[in-house]
Amino acid sequence: MTDIEEKLTGILNAEADRHDIPVFSAQRIAENAVRKGFWRQRRVLLLAAIGLAGLGGAGGAVVSAVSHGEARVTVTFQAERDQDSNPSASSFKPEDVRTWILGRAKADGLRDVEVTVRRQPLAVTITGRASDTERLKMLGMPADLFFAEMGAYPAPGETPLPPSKCVEKQDIGPDLQICDQHGYVYSSSGSADDNLTAAAAQAVHRGPGPRDWAVVIHLDAATTRSYSAFTGDRAAPHERITVLAGSMGLAEPIIDGRVSDGVIESEAAFTEQQAKALAVDLLSPSPPGLYPPLLTVTVSPARSS
Amino acid sequence: MKRRPPPSVEPGFVEFVAARSAALFRTAVLIVGDRHAAEDLVQSALERAYRHWGRVSAMDAPEAYVRRILANLAMDHFRAAGRRPVELLEYDGAAPDVYPDVDEHDAVIRILRELPPRMRTVLVLRYFDDLTETQVAEVLGITVGTVKSQGARALAKLREAMAPQEAAEQAEQEERTA
């Protein structure tokens, strides 16, 4: 190391020592990660509602109809007070948010769902069947689909991940992950509606059985170039990669050279409902709104009118 | 569609934060020059890592992955903040300046802050985090050649700026030995 390099190393260390180290809470980080993953990007459906006003407070009960014989629950979404938020109330349209949520519920196969969006205090309530509680709570989670080259892991000479690990890690989050057969993982930094021009469910008539539907996605121009570069860089011929959307495997194409048409077809492994729901998730329109304040979610038995 | 339930915090992530967050913060504060921004960047990087913790924890070098996220977030920070040099700020640490030459310390830091963000990041990763050129290239998503040239140009700027001071030190030393 030269003199200047040694000096620089010493100075950098001394400089770093001049700052107190803050305390980072793993619990807090995890909670934020879940919440921000839940509400991430403009595509998150309830972002339009909760991101536009930093309102706090409790309450927000919703009176709902009672379906015949089955218990119902009300899931209430409220914004915590965020003094730094600067909502644009003019772009907040409760009816648009309500329509969007109902569309998602229908695509997910949820029935007897009622939605109320209230401005003051800001609250969104979704009432549905008690048996659908977990799905109602996660109704707003998009299946983000995106990719870009992240870099090869592990480093040369180190043991690569078995390919199965790339697919089986269900808690990888809603990103689109692309893994090659050596387990090297590539992930992206965008959301699905930023990368796709189209997504559609497609029946694949390969034989009898309910799982004969696929999802075909069309990448936009920029993403097509990225995917083309990615596929063109594959070192070995006939290399299989894995494409994931959300926590679900989407496709395992064999790459025999550059793919330039920007079209990825999933495996024919979905039911019609799953395929259509996934297509809707991938192409859900981006609601207006800012990055949200923290959100609270409460679940309570629905009250009858 | 399979949905992901809110997870409990994995013990491995708790350990990782306890063990590595301080080092990540020190890297971040050197890159961005602002304690609060550095804290936000580390927080954001760890949040992103947590969303993929199942995959990250299986890597041989999880910290390398998180450092890469941090570096990318730092670049985003600079793009958002504009290209103005980062100002020296008041220090919050209780630790005194341990570098023997305070003036030289301040001069180098001032030069560091005036460097383009990527060049500054290359220096920090090379000479503070002690990464190889190949490792720096992987973290920043650039070629090794770019790392070499950025590092060489940065060191040349430092050398040029410190040349009058070094000349004065040499003259002083010669006078003492005369």
Side-chain angles (χ1 to χ4, degrees), chain B residues 19-39:
Chain B
R20 305 311 310 168
S21 59
L24 290 168
F25 172 79
R26 286 161 59 87
T27 298
V29 80
L30 287 174
I31 292 175
V32 299
D34 177 275
R35 173 197 171 79
H36 299 292
E39 195 172 340

Side-chain angles (χ1 to χ4, degrees), chain A residues 15-228:
Chain A
E15 177 69 12
D17 287 341
R18 293 168 81 171
H19 295 274
D20 277 340
I21 307 295
V23 175
F24 292 94
S25 163
Q27 179 71 41
R28 185 72 171 169
I29 290 167
E31 289 172 0
N32 284 345
V34 171
R35 287 199 183 100
K36 289 181 184 178
F38 188 87
W39 301 113
R40 184 169 32 168
Q41 302 287 353
R42 297 170 294 121
R43 295 185 64 250
V44 180
L45 73 107
L46 287 177
L47 193 61
I50 65 174
L52 296 175
L55 301 177
V62 172
V63 175
S64 65
V66 177
S67 64
H68 299 292
E70 182 171 349
R72 291 172 66 74
V73 293
T74 294
V75 181
T76 303
F77 301 83
Q78 293 172 306
E80 293 181 7
R81 189 173 300 280
D82 180 1
Q83 295 180 355
D84 293 331
S85 69
N86 185 20
S88 172
S90 62
S91 60
F92 175 38
K93 296 180 181 179
E95 190 50 39
D96 286 350
V97 175
R98 182 176 175 278
T99 301
W100 204 89
I101 297 171
L102 288 172
R104 289 294 307 277
K106 183 179 179 183
D108 280 356
L110 295 170
R111 299 172 63 183
D112 302 324
V113 173
E114 297 178 2
V115 180
T116 301
V117 181
R118 191 177 64 201
R119 280 185 174 271
Q120 298 286 349
L122 180 63
V124 176
T125 55
I126 302 177
T127 302
R129 297 178 178 182
S131 55
D132 293 330
T133 299
E134 290 306 312
R135 295 168 70 192
L136 293 171
K137 285 163 65 177
M138 309 302 280
L139 193 63
M141 180 184 283
D144 286 347
L145 172 87
F146 50 84
F147 74 93
E149 284 195 354
M150 184 181 77
Y153 285 95
E158 298 181 20
T159 305
L161 294 172
S164 61
K165 279 198 177 184
C166 182
V167 179
E168 289 173 3
K169 288 291 183 181
Q170 294 301 316
D171 55 348
I172 57 177
D175 307 344
L176 170 66
Q177 312 289 344
I178 298 180
C179 313
D180 65 18
Q181 61 193 28
H182 302 297
Y184 295 167
V185 178
Y186 301 81
S187 68
S188 83
S189 56
S191 64
D193 70 332
D194 287 340
N195 298 118
L196 303 185
T197 59
Q202 177 174 288
V204 180
H205 301 292
R206 295 180 186 176
R211 293 184 174 271
D212 284 335
W213 284 75
V215 177
V216 181
I217 61 175
H218 295 255
L219 308 177
D220 66 12
T223 313
T224 295
R225 284 194 293 275
S226 296
Y227 191 62
S228 173

